[in-house]
Amino acid sequence: LTSMAVMPLRLVLTSVAWWEVPLALVLLAAAAWACRLMAGRIFGVAMLMYGKEPSLREMARWIRAR
């Protein structure tokens, strides 16, 4: 998740191998996709639990439930 901030700094300050930039982009896209997937699962279950604040334990269980 930090490649969007760290990779430009590394490009300016140090030498970076050619494969590190595409790898950073792929990892960033995969992390964004995974976060969106988890947020969608939590949102879907939370909509059914109108009025109740979910705990971290419940959110983790909802993510693993699928």
Side-chain angles (χ1 to χ4, degrees):
L1 290 174
T2 62
S3 67
M4 65 180 186
V6 175
M7 187 53 72
L9 290 173
R10 287 191 60 214
L11 286 169
V12 171
L13 298 175
T14 63
S15 62
V16 178
W18 68 269
W19 54 269
E20 290 184 27
V21 175
L23 179 64
L25 291 173
V26 169
L27 290 175
L28 179 62
W33 177 79
C35 286
R36 192 207 62 78
L37 185 66
M38 287 186 286
R41 288 181 183 174
I42 292 171
F43 180 77
V45 175
M47 289 301 292
L48 299 173
M49 297 182 63
Y50 180 74
K52 182 177 180 285
E53 186 74 25
S55 67
L56 288 176
R57 179 175 284 164
E58 286 176 330
M59 286 189 278
R61 189 174 61 233
W62 296 342
I63 292 170
R64 288 190 307 259
R66 231 174 188 203

